[in-house]
Every structure is written in C-alpha cells, then in structure tokens.
Amino acid sequence: MPANDALSFLMAWTVAPFRVGSVTPSSSSLAALMTRDIGPETGPVLELGPGTGPFTRALLSRGVKEEDLTLIDSDSDFAALLRRRFPAARIFEMDAVGLRHLSLFRRPAIGAAVSGLPFRLISPRRTFAILEAVFANLRPGAALYQFTLGLRCPFDQSLLDRLDLGVTRVGHTFRNFPPATVYRIARLKTSGTYDWRIA
C-alpha cells in the first residue's frame, strides 16, 4: 500500500470517521478475497466507497475493463484521486443513497457490485435505500460483495428478508487491519437464465 494512500485515508477518517469507517485502506489480501469471483466475463461492475482504489486495482488485475467500472464515492478528495488513477472509469462523487435517483444503465446490466461502505455505521433506512438501488441495477444472478470488520454479516436479517436477499460467507482474512470477513449477497429467487451481452 502506498504511504500517501494510508495518509489520505487517515486524514479522511479524521474528518468523517462514521463515513469512512476505517483508519487504513483495505489490504491486497482483502481486495483479492473481495474480487476472486469477478472477471472479464462479469461485465460492468459497480463499486461503492472505493476510497483510494485497492478493490478497483484488484478488479483490473482480474481482467475487468476500466471502462466497465462505475465508482461511487462521497469524499471529494477520494473522487479526485480516483479520476486521476482510473480515467476510463465512470466516477460519481455522491452519497450511495442517491443511487435510487440515478439511472446507471437503461436496464439492469451490472454483473457484480463491490462495497467498501461501513454499513455497521449506516442507519437501517439508508442501508435499505442503498441495497434496493444496487439490486435494481444488478442483472439476475449477480451479487454484491461486502466486507465487514465485525463478527457477523453487517446486514440485519429483517432487512435482507424485506429485499428477498440471501447471504453466503465468502471467507476471512487476517492479513488486513483489522481482520475482515467477506460476504456475498444475492437475490434468493432468479427467473431463468440471463446473458447481459445480448439482452
């Protein structure tokens, strides 16, 4: 991790600890775990709260095209940094709650979503709005990958039930500060098969 990334993250956390949620960027080990099921065949990928871009870099190393990335970050400094580092990606400087008012695509075309948002620090109402908007843009069978520094999934079961979502534990890494667990969140029911390339 570049030293200036760690400093940028620490400064952002100092200004808004409940928005950033961690004092350091995610490790390469966590980034690899978050993106291990994603590749060039996934198509467009949505990333929430990319910060300095550790997951973004991991997605690119997995073969995802930079122009297939849509990055959402509410921090103006992070958004500016992301524009310099990933000029071909679509970058929106906004609160993820605003996704419900933004048509990312003409149809649900996103093949995966990756989130660095600290949902344990986000209210249930705002969490519901973000998840509802994310899954409105995900194509059938696609999933959201979320990590947490806690001991269990950051989404309450009642909220998952309202959105008809199921959770699978992907894995855990001690090679992150603090250690982190990754979860895959997906719709419980999907109808038929779907090929985003010809839909």
Side-chain angles (χ1 to χ4, degrees), residues 17-125:
F18 291 105
R19 188 178 68 204
V20 178
S22 177
V23 296
T24 61
S26 298
S27 69
S28 58
S29 176
L30 176 56
L33 188 60
M34 283 283 283
T35 60
R36 75 176 188 189
D37 296 337
I38 302 172
E41 71 286 347
T42 304
V45 176
L46 172 67
E47 185 177 355
L48 306 178
T52 58
F55 298 162
T56 315
R57 288 190 293 271
L59 288 166
L60 293 174
S61 71
R62 298 278 309 163
V64 177
K65 296 178 182 177
E66 189 171 315
E67 56 269 28
D68 278 342
L69 295 174
T70 299
L71 313 177
I72 310 289
D73 205 298
S74 62
D75 186 281
S76 59
D77 291 333
F78 285 156
L81 177 67
L82 293 166
R83 288 189 185 100
R84 291 194 301 272
R85 289 184 173 175
F86 311 108
R90 293 197 310 166
I91 299 168
F92 295 91
E93 182 187 328
M94 60 181 283
D95 189 311
V97 171
L99 277 173
R100 60 184 168 174
H101 305 299
L102 180 67
S103 296
L104 293 176
F105 299 93
R106 285 178 292 138
R107 54 184 169 75
I110 296 173
V114 175
S115 170
L117 295 180
F119 278 106
R120 284 286 175 207
L121 303 176
I122 299 174
S123 72
R125 181 179 60 82

Side-chain angles (χ1 to χ4, degrees), residues 119-120 146-148 150-157 160 166-169 181-185:
F119 278 106
R120 284 286 175 207
Q146 175 69 45
F147 81 93
T148 182
L151 299 176
R152 61 186 181 88
C153 179
F155 305 119
D156 290 337
Q157 189 60 51
L160 296 170
V167 175
T168 305
R169 185 179 183 274
T181 303
V182 174
Y183 292 92
R184 180 183 189 274
I185 297 93

